[in-house]
Structure formats: structure tokens, C-alpha cells
Amino acid sequence: MQWDLFCRVVDNFGDIGVCWRLAADLASRGERVRLWADDLSALAWMAPHGAPGVEVRPWTTEWDSAEPGDVVVEAFGCQLPAPFVHRMAQRVSAPVWINLEYLSAEPVVERNHGLASPQFSGPGKGLNKWFIYPGFCAGTGGLIREPGLMARQQIFDAPAWRLDHGLTLRAGERPVSLFCYANLAIAALLDRLAATPTLLVATAGPAAEQVRRELGPTLCRGALRAIVMPSLTQQDYDALLCACDLNFVRGEDSFVRAQWAGKPFVWQIYPQHDHAHEAKLNAFLERFLAAADASVADQVRALWLAWNGLSRESIAKPALAHWQGHCEAWRAGLLARPDMVQELLRFVAERR
């Protein structure tokens, strides 16, 4: 089928990151994808080689000649151009119109996933818009997980990858990756990591900027030394997650990839001015830690809340061995569910 995937980049490139993974995953399974975005600059470092079957197009003001495909995906409520929607309504066989929502573990996801919004007026009059909610359990749209991901992880050589990227470990060091927004807890985290031999790999952007500011030109403190990385492709970022013992992630895309890596991770949720992120964070923690050992659950919850500025507890790192086992068990549960593209293909087939 021909898919039209629309994305507006709000900030931080998380939206385009998710949309690119979805587009590339669809194309790898034989679908044809046009990715329309208003800011394509991040793809220069995120996906410099493109992907077979994915055609990248700039969000334009000239829509009269754009012929809608079989499926139209409106990512994260980005609101499609009215002329394009009008052409969708004119098609003999109407496209399946999907609004892809943000990822959440809240109960509302299961209630609203798959619901239709009939269009009674406007350029799309007569069409249905279907709401797809990614999620962690049955009754949701699943998570992006391209075919062969686990097989590639099984043969991944972490020491060789670290060596190729200048991340050779010294005796006793543990590798930790840091990908974050501006965070008031960064100083406390660096102090905590400095207590034991640690190689901190800071990603380009706010993580690198804060680490440089806190550690100074030496990029060292106590038993901690830091390395600042350039912008990474999505494949190299995935490899970094698998090459570290602990990963600090943010937003949506890296959050999901950390779960596929099966390593202990700490999520910084995107902060919202109305504090809606607090409920979202707690909803995921409830689901994620439901089957965890009580001591692990308490320590992980305390760390996550402190990192997100939602508690006054000091930053403390849980024992990695038991945490690692829990993350692997959590991943196994996710792997038992269909991935997002499987769910989308099934959903579209039923509506067509």
C-alpha cells in the first residue's frame, strides 16, 4: 500500500525520530511510504542513508497536485493540510485515516485505542479518522519493533562497538549513557556516579552541555570520567544503549529503545506545564514495576521520581544485578505482543 505519514517537528526531534522509525519499518515490510515533515534537518544525522521504500518530502503549501495514498497517518495530532484532506474525501476508495497518538501507559489508552471520529463537516466530510494509541499491553497499538531487532542484539559485540567509538573502559568502570532534557538533578547524579568507577557517555545536545558545565574541561569528577558524543544515527544510538549497563533516556523514542535493549534505564518524561506528565510517569511505573521485587521497585521508583524533580529524595542508584533481571523480564513480556507495524497492518486491512 501507499502510506502518507505526516509529521510536524515541535522541538527536540522526538516526533521526527518516531516517524522515521515507523516509516522505515513499514517500508522494510514491503509498504511504500511518503514522509511529509516541516523540518527534515534532523534526518541528516539521524538517518543519513535514508531507507529503501521511504520517500521524504517537505511539508509544502502546494497540495493541489498531491494525490493521497491508501493510508494517511497524522502523527501526534499534527493536523493535515485542508486541501490534502479534501482530496482524500474525493478518492473513489477513501484512504484509512489514522491519528497516531503519543505513547502512554494510562488506562485511557485502552479505552480510546481504535475508536473512530466521523467527520461530519469540513474538507474531510464523510471520512472516518481512527485513533491509534501505542501501548504496553493488549488492547493498544503496541510499540515500534522492527523485524530482526532481537536477532541483531544477540550477535551484537558491545566491547568491539565501544572500541570503534572511542569508549574503551578502564579497569572496573561501568558504562552509563545520558540522554536528557535540561535537568536540575544533573549535579546530584554526577556526584553519585563519581563515587564508583564510571564512564559516562553524554549524547549531543542538552546532556553534553550540562555535563560540560558541571565537570569543566577535564570532564572528570572523582571516579567518574565523561565522554561527549557527536550526534548519532538511530542505529548507533540503539547500539549505545546495548553497550551500556545503565541508560538515562528521555521523551518517547529513546524510552522505547531502552526497553528493547533490556538494560536498566531511567526515563525523563517530557515536562508539561499543566503537570500532566506526573500522572503519565506514575502510570508507567505502576505497570513497569508491578512484578518487580519490592526492594527493586522502591529503589527504581525513588530514582525516577528524583530524576524527574517529583521528589526531594537524594539520587541513589539501585543494585544493577536485580534491576537488570527485571528489565529482561519486562522486555520478554513486551516481545510476546505484536509490534506496532503488525497492529497497524491488521487494523488497516480490516478497515479497507
Side-chain angles (χ1 to χ4, degrees):
M1 294 177 289
Q2 177 69 60
W3 295 63
D4 284 299
L5 175 53
F6 285 81
C7 173
R8 281 198 182 276
V9 178
V10 179
D11 56 10
N12 299 303
F13 303 112
D15 293 345
I16 190 67
V18 172
C19 288
W20 177 258
R21 286 199 195 269
L22 177 58
D25 193 348
L26 282 163
S28 75
R29 307 188 201 209
E31 305 299 299
R32 292 173 291 119
V33 185
R34 290 182 298 197
L35 174 59
W36 305 84
D38 62 341
D39 184 354
L40 296 165
S41 61
L43 295 183
W45 51 265
M46 189 181 292
H49 306 298
V54 179
E55 180 184 353
V56 176
R57 293 195 178 186
W59 196 295
T60 177
T61 56
E62 303 295 331
W63 294 103
D64 292 340
S65 61
E67 202 60 45
D70 304 300
V71 188
V72 176
V73 180
E74 177 180 312
F76 314 124
C78 64
Q79 193 168 6
L80 301 181
F84 191 85
V85 175
H86 180 66
R87 293 182 74 86
M88 289 165 57
Q90 289 181 320
R91 272 189 46 146
V92 174
S93 177
V96 180
W97 182 2
I98 289 172
N99 186 330
L100 179 65
E101 288 288 341
Y102 287 104
L103 174 63
S104 176
E106 295 173 290
V108 68
V109 167
E110 293 162 82
R111 293 199 300 270
N112 292 345
H113 173 65
L115 294 184
S117 174
Q119 306 296 296
F120 295 113
S121 61
K125 183 178 179 180
L127 298 176
N128 275 323
K129 183 194 297 189
W130 302 91
F131 285 82
I132 295 295
Y133 283 78
F136 305 94
C137 60
T140 71
L143 303 173
I144 296 175
R145 184 182 78 240
E146 60 273 21
L149 176 61
M150 293 299 107
R152 292 193 297 275
Q153 283 190 13
Q154 289 175 1
I155 62 173
F156 176 65
D157 188 337
W161 187 88
R162 288 195 296 262
L163 181 63
D164 288 344
H165 291 78
L167 304 177
T168 304
L169 297 177
R170 296 174 183 172
E173 279 186 335
R174 282 190 177 275
V176 176
S177 78
L178 178 65
F179 183 43
C180 63
Y181 306 114
N183 195 318
L184 295 176
I186 189 75
L189 173 67
L190 297 178
D191 285 342
R192 181 66 185 85
L193 294 177
T196 55
T198 303
L199 175 62
L200 179 66
V201 185
T203 56
E209 293 163 7
Q210 292 173 96
V211 167
R212 284 195 180 102
R213 184 174 63 247
E214 291 291 333
L215 299 183
T218 65
L219 292 179
C220 292
R221 178 180 295 173
L224 167 70
R225 65 186 181 100
I227 292 179
V228 172
M229 298 293 282
S231 296
L232 298 174
T233 66
Q234 286 189 331
Q235 289 74 20
D236 270 335
Y237 181 72
D238 292 348
L240 174 63
L241 294 174
C242 292
C244 290
D245 293 341
L246 173 62
N247 296 302
F248 286 79
V249 295
R250 75 181 203 193
E252 181 170 324
D253 182 59
S254 62
F255 172 47
V256 172
R257 304 312 285 192
Q259 292 172 67
W260 294 136
K263 301 292 187 72
F265 66 100
V266 183
W267 181 33
Q268 184 183 10
I269 191 170
Y270 186 82
Q272 295 174 273
H273 64 87
D274 60 357
H275 303 287
H277 63 289
E278 297 180 24
K280 292 180 181 179
L281 182 72
N282 283 305
F284 179 76
L285 281 171
E286 286 301 314
R287 192 178 294 274
F288 175 56
L289 298 174
D293 177 86
S295 62
V296 172
D298 290 344
Q299 293 172 9
V300 170
R301 182 178 285 105
L303 173 56
W304 282 39
L305 293 178
W307 182 238
N308 281 277
L310 301 179
S311 102
R312 296 184 178 180
E313 296 289 330
S314 60
I315 293 283
K317 187 171 68 176
L320 290 181
H322 293 100
W323 192 2
Q324 170 79 43
H326 176 66
C327 289
E328 291 174 355
W330 169 258
R331 178 179 64 180
L334 296 179
L335 288 170
R337 300 289 314 146
D339 63 70
M340 182 188 289
V341 170
Q342 287 178 307
E343 286 291 317
L344 279 174
L345 291 172
R346 178 194 59 78
F347 186 89
V348 168
E350 291 175 355
R351 270 77 193 165
R352 292 187 78 206

